[in-house]
Amino acid sequence: MTEAWRPDGEDERRGAMGPVKVRVPAKVNLHLGVGPLRRDGYHELNTVYHAISIYDELTARRGDTLTLTMEGEGTGELALDDSNLVMRAAHALAGYAGVLPHARLHLRKQIPLAGGLAGGSADAAATLVACDALWGTGLTRDELAGIAADLGSDVPFLIHGGTALGTGRGEAVSPVLARPTSWYWVVAIADGGLSTPAAYRELDRLREAGTAGPPLGATDALLAALRQRDPRVLAATLGNDLQDAALAMRPALAETLKAGEAAGALAGLVSGSGPTCVFLAENGARAERIAAELTAAEVCREVRVAHGPVAGARIV
Ligand code: C5P
């Protein structure tokens, strides 16, 4: 069967014609337990990932070479050459599947760069899903997850989405049993990013100096809270071992956290390696009010309201 006769867009999932558009969420870590530094330069993690409704969108079209264009967050700051995680993901998938990496890729970014929301990893996950469809390579979820893990520790989770436990260096993902509840988040986006490797190095330094807080324990209390519907219970179990490091590198974040809690958030914490701070709200209406107060407090570049959990990278 030739592909040319199909009306445009009819069979995007098989990628016969393209374009293929994929939407991918940002992540926060409800629990980010950082263990010792491993010999491969990564830290052993015990984390609970949570996908929230701030999205990037990647569109893949047929092309004669591999090209990338973008709009939105980070435009002009992010290199669009082969160092970009989108390009690396396309090359990795093509290499694995034995096809030519030919596509015209366009990225619409709403997830801030180096914000602790796994924006780069999200874009890599979206690229794998989009190019797999465009090229008709039809890999299994496990095969995609394997390629994803080589691209970055958070990439497998962003294919997965929802709420999930991450172990190893974060790449080993298993779903968490939770009630079908939506949680409401206020997301405070800072000016400028923070480097993830630098945050891990700072945590190692604080621990060596004996000035880091006690490491988070097991995830049991958080997992139990996710099985209930009470945001107050969940609020009491949120935690991030990288928070001290992010605060040491960006002391002004303490003001952001204070302002969110003063505005009525049940809890606030730094997302991943920061500098984004996220606040748990009792419900959607409360989240909107907290967002308005936080905006007025002028403690960050931008405030958004989001909910979670949401699905991972999906064709739309
Ligand atoms: O895996 P990813 O490329 O996202 O990680 C970026 C950097 O973050 C790593 O090079 C490493 O310095 C740090 N990292 C770590 N331990 C992890 C994950 C990331 O030290 N489990």
Short mmCIF file of all heavy atoms in Angstrom, two decimals, residues 37 41-45 121 151-154 168-170 196-197 200, ligand 1:
data_model
loop_
_atom_site.label_atom_id
_atom_site.label_comp_id
_atom_site.label_asym_id
_atom_site.label_seq_id
_atom_site.Cartn_x
_atom_site.Cartn_y
_atom_site.Cartn_z
N LEU A 37 26.70 9.50 46.08
CA LEU A 37 27.26 9.65 44.73
C LEU A 37 27.79 8.29 44.28
O LEU A 37 28.54 7.64 45.00
CB LEU A 37 28.39 10.68 44.77
CG LEU A 37 29.13 10.97 43.47
CD1 LEU A 37 28.20 11.55 42.41
CD2 LEU A 37 30.29 11.94 43.72
N GLY A 41 29.13 8.83 38.57
CA GLY A 41 28.91 10.27 38.62
C GLY A 41 27.46 10.66 38.91
O GLY A 41 27.15 11.84 39.06
N TYR A 42 26.57 9.68 38.98
CA TYR A 42 25.17 9.94 39.32
C TYR A 42 24.92 9.62 40.79
O TYR A 42 25.68 8.88 41.41
CB TYR A 42 24.23 9.09 38.46
CG TYR A 42 24.18 9.52 37.02
CD1 TYR A 42 25.06 8.98 36.10
CD2 TYR A 42 23.27 10.48 36.60
CE1 TYR A 42 25.02 9.38 34.76
CE2 TYR A 42 23.23 10.88 35.28
CZ TYR A 42 24.11 10.33 34.36
OH TYR A 42 24.07 10.74 33.06
N HIS A 43 23.85 10.16 41.31
CA HIS A 43 23.43 9.85 42.68
C HIS A 43 22.32 8.82 42.65
O HIS A 43 21.46 8.85 41.76
CB HIS A 43 22.95 11.10 43.40
CG HIS A 43 24.05 12.10 43.65
ND1 HIS A 43 24.57 12.87 42.63
CD2 HIS A 43 24.73 12.42 44.77
CE1 HIS A 43 25.53 13.64 43.14
NE2 HIS A 43 25.64 13.39 44.43
N GLU A 44 22.34 7.96 43.63
CA GLU A 44 21.25 6.99 43.78
C GLU A 44 20.01 7.77 44.23
O GLU A 44 20.10 8.55 45.18
CB GLU A 44 21.69 5.97 44.85
CG GLU A 44 20.93 4.68 44.84
CD GLU A 44 21.09 3.89 43.54
OE1 GLU A 44 22.14 3.97 42.89
OE2 GLU A 44 20.12 3.19 43.21
N LEU A 45 18.91 7.58 43.55
CA LEU A 45 17.69 8.35 43.89
C LEU A 45 16.57 7.45 44.38
O LEU A 45 16.47 6.28 44.00
CB LEU A 45 17.16 9.11 42.66
CG LEU A 45 17.99 10.21 42.04
CD1 LEU A 45 17.14 10.97 41.02
CD2 LEU A 45 18.54 11.17 43.09
N SER A 121 14.28 17.07 29.26
CA SER A 121 13.93 15.64 29.24
C SER A 121 12.56 15.44 28.61
O SER A 121 12.34 14.48 27.88
CB SER A 121 13.91 15.08 30.67
OG SER A 121 15.18 15.17 31.25
N LEU A 151 19.31 9.01 27.33
CA LEU A 151 19.28 10.45 27.03
C LEU A 151 19.26 11.30 28.30
O LEU A 151 19.73 12.43 28.29
CB LEU A 151 18.06 10.78 26.17
CG LEU A 151 18.09 10.22 24.74
CD1 LEU A 151 16.71 10.26 24.11
CD2 LEU A 151 19.10 11.01 23.89
N GLY A 152 18.71 10.76 29.38
CA GLY A 152 18.64 11.52 30.63
C GLY A 152 17.83 10.77 31.65
O GLY A 152 16.94 9.99 31.29
N SER A 153 18.12 11.01 32.92
CA SER A 153 17.50 10.24 34.00
C SER A 153 15.98 10.41 34.06
O SER A 153 15.27 9.51 34.48
CB SER A 153 18.11 10.66 35.34
OG SER A 153 19.51 10.58 35.27
N ASP A 154 15.48 11.59 33.66
CA ASP A 154 14.04 11.87 33.79
C ASP A 154 13.25 11.50 32.53
O ASP A 154 12.02 11.57 32.53
CB ASP A 154 13.80 13.38 34.02
CG ASP A 154 14.39 13.86 35.33
OD1 ASP A 154 14.52 13.05 36.26
OD2 ASP A 154 14.70 15.07 35.42
N GLY A 168 17.17 3.92 41.01
CA GLY A 168 18.42 3.96 40.25
C GLY A 168 18.88 5.40 40.20
O GLY A 168 18.88 6.10 41.22
N ARG A 169 19.22 5.91 39.02
CA ARG A 169 19.52 7.35 38.93
C ARG A 169 18.26 8.13 38.55
O ARG A 169 18.33 9.30 38.17
CB ARG A 169 20.67 7.62 37.96
CG ARG A 169 20.45 7.15 36.55
CD ARG A 169 21.67 7.39 35.67
NE ARG A 169 21.57 6.66 34.43
CZ ARG A 169 20.88 7.07 33.36
NH1 ARG A 169 20.24 8.22 33.38
NH2 ARG A 169 20.83 6.34 32.28
N GLY A 170 17.10 7.45 38.66
CA GLY A 170 15.81 8.08 38.35
C GLY A 170 15.18 7.46 37.12
O GLY A 170 14.01 7.69 36.83
N THR A 196 21.59 21.60 37.04
CA THR A 196 21.32 20.39 37.82
C THR A 196 22.61 19.77 38.39
O THR A 196 22.66 19.48 39.59
CB THR A 196 20.55 19.36 36.95
OG1 THR A 196 19.33 19.97 36.55
CG2 THR A 196 20.25 18.09 37.72
N PRO A 197 23.66 19.57 37.57
CA PRO A 197 24.90 19.02 38.14
C PRO A 197 25.43 19.89 39.28
O PRO A 197 25.91 19.36 40.29
CB PRO A 197 25.88 18.99 36.97
CG PRO A 197 25.04 19.05 35.75
CD PRO A 197 23.77 19.74 36.11
N TYR A 200 23.50 19.14 42.50
CA TYR A 200 23.96 17.89 43.13
C TYR A 200 25.33 18.07 43.79
O TYR A 200 25.56 17.55 44.89
CB TYR A 200 24.01 16.76 42.09
CG TYR A 200 22.67 16.10 41.83
CD1 TYR A 200 21.93 16.43 40.70
CD2 TYR A 200 22.16 15.15 42.71
CE1 TYR A 200 20.70 15.82 40.45
CE2 TYR A 200 20.93 14.56 42.47
CZ TYR A 200 20.21 14.89 41.34
OH TYR A 200 18.99 14.30 41.12
O1 C5P B 1 20.51 12.34 33.73
P1 C5P B 1 20.58 13.81 33.48
O2 C5P B 1 21.33 14.14 32.22
O3 C5P B 1 19.27 14.50 33.55
O4 C5P B 1 21.43 14.37 34.68
C1 C5P B 1 22.05 15.62 34.63
C2 C5P B 1 23.13 15.68 35.70
O5 C5P B 1 22.52 15.69 36.99
C3 C5P B 1 24.08 14.50 35.74
O6 C5P B 1 25.15 14.68 34.85
C4 C5P B 1 24.53 14.52 37.18
O7 C5P B 1 25.51 15.49 37.41
C5 C5P B 1 23.29 14.96 37.93
N1 C5P B 1 22.52 13.80 38.40
C6 C5P B 1 22.97 13.08 39.49
N2 C5P B 1 22.25 12.00 39.94
C7 C5P B 1 21.10 11.64 39.33
C8 C5P B 1 20.61 12.36 38.22
C9 C5P B 1 21.34 13.44 37.78
O8 C5P B 1 24.00 13.39 40.07
N3 C5P B 1 20.44 10.60 39.79
#
